Every structure is written in structure tokens, then in C-alpha cells.
Amino acid sequence: MEEKTHLFIDQLRRREPGACRRLIADHGPAVFRMVQRIVGRQEDAEEVWQDVFVKALQAIATYDSRKASLATWLSRIAYNESVNFVRRRRPDIVYMDDCDLAPDSPDETPDDHVVDDLEQALAKLPPHEQAIVTMFYYDDMSLADIGYVTGSTASTVGSQLCRIRKKLYRIIKTMHP
């Protein structure tokens, strides 16, 4: 770890107010975007965002730069907090068992409304699947980083993305029979 980053982590571990402010200033916007995409409502996202930084500061002693960058480590906390929040609040989620993933025919293509309906379809996914999609497509995170955040392997994340894309396609198809 570079000396400057090491010093910053040490300052966070000592709970120096300036370091805490810098952590929020440097990483707050990205964490908030991730939380808001998963949680949805602005008010809920603000609550979860605060919880993320409280947990991060409580757990900073466990941060290991050999495993992940600080940004990826914060993303893992944000992901877990967001998914747990949504699981407690959202009853209308479509799980894998609810969808037949096989296409009706090999030459099927998405309706013209897919782009407009994608956000609506994403909202119907379980929090874990929604988070994987947003990290990969919105945050441009690598499969390895997503694997670290979710506690999976990169190959597992790749397989999940494949299934989720098929699932999103089926959800959108049901929106336009």
C-alpha cells in the first residue's frame, strides 16, 4: 500500500475527524449512487448511506489493503447494507423460480420498449441480483471486484450475470405480451 494511503488508514483507525471527513468527501458520492440504485427511495438511501459509513468506521481496523482497495471495501459494506435494507422492506420481488429462463424461440429479440422498461424490471429483481447488475453496468466494476463485494468468485458472478440478463429479458417480455 502506498505510504499516503497507509497514513490515511491509520488516521481513520485513530478516528481523526479530518480523516473521517475526507473519507466521506472522497467516497461518499460513489457510495451514495450505489446505495440509491439498490434501495430506490432518496430518504431510504440517505439512511443506508449513513449506516455504511458508521459501519465502515467501526470496522476500519479489519480493512486489509491486500484484499481490496478502500473503494471496493466500502462498496462491499454498501452492498451488504443496501441488500439487507431492501430485503427487510420489499415484498414484490421476482425470484429465479418465478421465471422460465428459456427463450420461446432462438430468434426472439427484445421489444422496442426494453430500454424504457429496464429500470422497472430491475426493481423487480431481488436485491442481490439488482446489486450485481448495477455494479457491473452502472459502476463498471470488474467481475473480481463484484465477487469480493458479494463474497463470491468472479466466475460465479459471471454466471449470475448471464442468468440475470435472461431473467430481465423474460420480465420485460411479460410487461409487453
Side-chain angles (χ1 to χ4, degrees), residues 15-83:
R15 305 279 196 270
E16 292 182 17
C20 296
R21 283 191 295 275
R22 180 176 156 209
L23 178 72
I24 293 169
D26 290 353
H27 299 282
V31 168
F32 187 78
R33 282 190 302 274
M34 173 188 262
V35 168
Q36 190 170 30
R37 277 195 294 272
I38 296 170
V39 172
R41 288 188 44 222
Q42 173 87 14
E43 298 82 12
D44 293 338
E46 290 170 359
E47 178 184 331
V48 172
W49 180 83
Q50 290 174 5
D51 292 344
V52 167
F53 283 98
V54 167
K55 289 225 174 172
L57 291 170
Q58 289 172 340
I60 193 67
T62 65
Y63 170 68
D64 183 352
S65 64
R66 295 170 299 191
K67 291 183 179 178
S69 69
L70 185 60
T72 301
W73 183 76
L74 286 168
S75 293
R76 183 175 187 156
I77 295 169
Y79 163 81
N80 287 327
E81 287 298 303
S82 299
V83 167

Side-chain angles (χ1 to χ4, degrees), residues 34 72 75 135-143 145-146 149:
M34 173 188 262
T72 301
S75 293
M135 284 186 275
F136 188 77
Y137 290 106
Y138 291 91
D139 297 333
D140 293 322
M141 291 178 73
S142 69
L143 295 178
D145 282 348
I146 297 170
V149 169

Side-chain angles (χ1 to χ4, degrees), residues 47-166:
E47 178 184 331
V48 172
W49 180 83
Q50 290 174 5
D51 292 344
V52 167
F53 283 98
V54 167
K55 289 225 174 172
L57 291 170
Q58 289 172 340
I60 193 67
T62 65
Y63 170 68
D64 183 352
S65 64
R66 295 170 299 191
K67 291 183 179 178
S69 69
L70 185 60
T72 301
W73 183 76
L74 286 168
S75 293
R76 183 175 187 156
I77 295 169
Y79 163 81
N80 287 327
E81 287 298 303
S82 299
V83 167
N84 289 337
F85 179 87
V86 173
R87 281 183 180 145
R88 291 188 304 265
R89 307 259 182 190
R90 195 162 23 142
D92 62 337
I93 296 170
V94 178
Y95 288 92
M96 280 299 190
D97 296 343
D98 298 339
C99 290
D100 171 21
L101 297 178
D104 294 334
S105 69
D107 58 323
E108 270 188 346
T109 58
D111 294 334
D112 293 335
H113 302 285
V114 170
V115 173
D116 296 334
D117 295 339
L118 186 56
E119 289 297 321
Q120 197 173 22
L122 279 169
K124 294 183 181 206
L125 293 175
H128 172 74
E129 293 175 0
Q130 187 180 43
I132 289 172
V133 169
T134 58
M135 284 186 275
F136 188 77
Y137 290 106
Y138 291 91
D139 297 333
D140 293 322
M141 291 178 73
S142 69
L143 295 178
D145 282 348
I146 297 170
Y148 175 80
V149 169
T150 61
S152 301
T153 65
S155 61
T156 298
V157 172
S159 297
Q160 290 172 330
L161 273 170
C162 181
R163 286 192 307 270
I164 293 167
R165 283 191 292 264
K166 289 177 184 176

